[in-house]
Amino acid sequence: MKINYLDDEDLSFLHRCSEEHLEAFTRILTHNENGKPRLSSTLLRNQTFQAMAGHPERYRRNWQLIAGELQHFGGDSIANTLRRHGKFYREILLDVCKRLKIKADKHTSTPEIELHLLEHFLEHSWKKMDDRQKADFFTAVECRVNEHKALLPHLLQTNKLAQGVTHLLEIRLAKILRTHAAVSVIGHGLVRGAGLGGPLGAAFNGVKAVSGSAYRVTIPAVLHIACLRQMTRLHQVKNEIGEKYPARS
């Protein structure tokens, strides 16, 4: 399927991200936890993306293709085929929050919802980790804090937020998916039995229908997007302060 990127203001900041950060994010979309390419990845088969292999700005120049890949993972494959595009990022974000049982006010801005998601994820991950896991985490991100409330600010200030969340996902994602798998299957089963029936009916009726396997991609992807936005904003603020108050020689 061709990648049709929806012009999405919530993903437009990606062009300001570094090549390194975009490459790490893209790998979440294109490869599974074992490092094997996802069969469902459209990006890996895209000729433009393939042609730029080895280019120093391969990911920055193709940020819209990368964003389009995320939009496709956020929508049901049958629905994507019919409408020829995926879903807007905000819909994917709200869907992830719903699956993780996080209350998200639809009138709240996307960055605020993301921040709430990050805080929730870090807090619950912290509570679920034993002393050994916490020690491994501190080693991975080169920091040490005494309580979870200090974790997010510290990781942001030390530019370790994405790295920290990635480390926690390696520990927590499988359990998160197991916890919510039954809800996902039962919920979609009930929805898809209505109207025309099956995935086709869900697509025509505009009903959200994201498979359990897609959450294996969208949950870490949304968390990573949230990290990138926070890091990009902090970098922008630091630059603005530097321009306003230049260092004296």
Side-chain angles (χ1 to χ4, degrees), residues 73-119:
F73 270 113
D76 180 85
S77 57
I78 302 296
N80 288 344
T81 300
L82 292 173
R83 64 192 171 204
R84 299 186 182 280
H85 59 74
K87 295 200 301 188
F88 283 107
Y89 170 73
R90 185 177 173 86
E91 294 179 62
I92 302 171
L93 169 64
L94 290 172
D95 191 48
V96 165
C97 287
K98 182 179 179 180
R99 288 300 161 194
L100 297 182
K101 299 186 183 301
I102 300 172
K103 291 183 179 180
D105 187 343
K106 293 183 179 180
H107 300 292
T108 304
S109 70
T110 294
E112 288 176 311
I113 295 174
E114 288 177 335
L115 187 58
H116 183 47
L117 171 63
L118 282 172
E119 291 171 342

Side-chain angles (χ1 to χ4, degrees), residues 15 21 67 91 98-99 121 152 159 172 183 193 195 215 227:
H15 79 276
H21 285 151
E91 294 179 62
K98 182 179 179 180
R99 288 300 161 194
F121 176 72
L152 180 56
N159 202 31
R172 300 277 298 132
V183 176
Y215 285 114
C227 291

Side-chain angles (χ1 to χ4, degrees), residues 16-167:
R16 300 199 303 272
C17 295
S18 70
E19 182 74 4
E20 180 184 3
H21 285 151
L22 281 179
E23 182 177 0
F25 170 66
T26 302
R27 193 165 181 83
I28 293 173
L29 303 176
T30 59
H31 291 72
N32 64 23
E33 303 92 304
N34 298 319
K36 295 182 179 180
R38 298 187 191 277
L39 297 177
S40 53
S41 172
T42 303
L43 184 62
L44 291 179
R45 300 191 299 273
N46 182 272
Q47 292 183 353
T48 302
F49 188 73
Q50 287 179 332
M52 291 193 69
H55 192 283
E57 289 198 340
R58 182 191 193 190
Y59 296 90
R60 294 195 71 197
R61 292 196 182 186
N62 289 292
W63 72 267
Q64 289 178 315
L65 289 177
I66 296 167
E69 179 94 326
L70 171 59
Q71 291 173 338
H72 275 267
F73 270 113
D76 180 85
S77 57
I78 302 296
N80 288 344
T81 300
L82 292 173
R83 64 192 171 204
R84 299 186 182 280
H85 59 74
K87 295 200 301 188
F88 283 107
Y89 170 73
R90 185 177 173 86
E91 294 179 62
I92 302 171
L93 169 64
L94 290 172
D95 191 48
V96 165
C97 287
K98 182 179 179 180
R99 288 300 161 194
L100 297 182
K101 299 186 183 301
I102 300 172
K103 291 183 179 180
D105 187 343
K106 293 183 179 180
H107 300 292
T108 304
S109 70
T110 294
E112 288 176 311
I113 295 174
E114 288 177 335
L115 187 58
H116 183 47
L117 171 63
L118 282 172
E119 291 171 342
H120 175 93
F121 176 72
L122 290 173
E123 178 182 353
H124 280 255
S125 297
W126 179 274
K127 290 179 179 179
K128 296 292 183 180
M129 286 193 295
D130 56 31
D131 291 340
R132 176 61 182 273
Q133 289 173 325
K134 287 181 180 178
D136 290 342
F137 175 74
F138 289 143
T139 300
V141 298
E142 300 176 339
C143 82
R144 189 169 190 85
V145 295
N146 295 320
E147 56 180 16
H148 67 82
K149 290 182 179 180
L151 195 54
L152 180 56
H154 184 87
L155 291 175
L156 262 176
Q157 290 297 328
T158 57
N159 202 31
K160 297 281 187 177
L161 183 57
Q163 184 178 340
V165 168
T166 298
H167 181 89

Side-chain angles (χ1 to χ4, degrees), residues 5-19:
Y5 168 67
L6 288 170
D7 190 13
D8 194 333
E9 63 178 0
D10 286 324
L11 293 177
S12 62
F13 81 97
L14 288 176
H15 79 276
R16 300 199 303 272
C17 295
S18 70
E19 182 74 4

Side-chain angles (χ1 to χ4, degrees), residues 183-194 198:
V183 176
S184 179
V185 171
I186 293 172
H188 291 145
L190 291 172
V191 167
R192 291 179 176 183

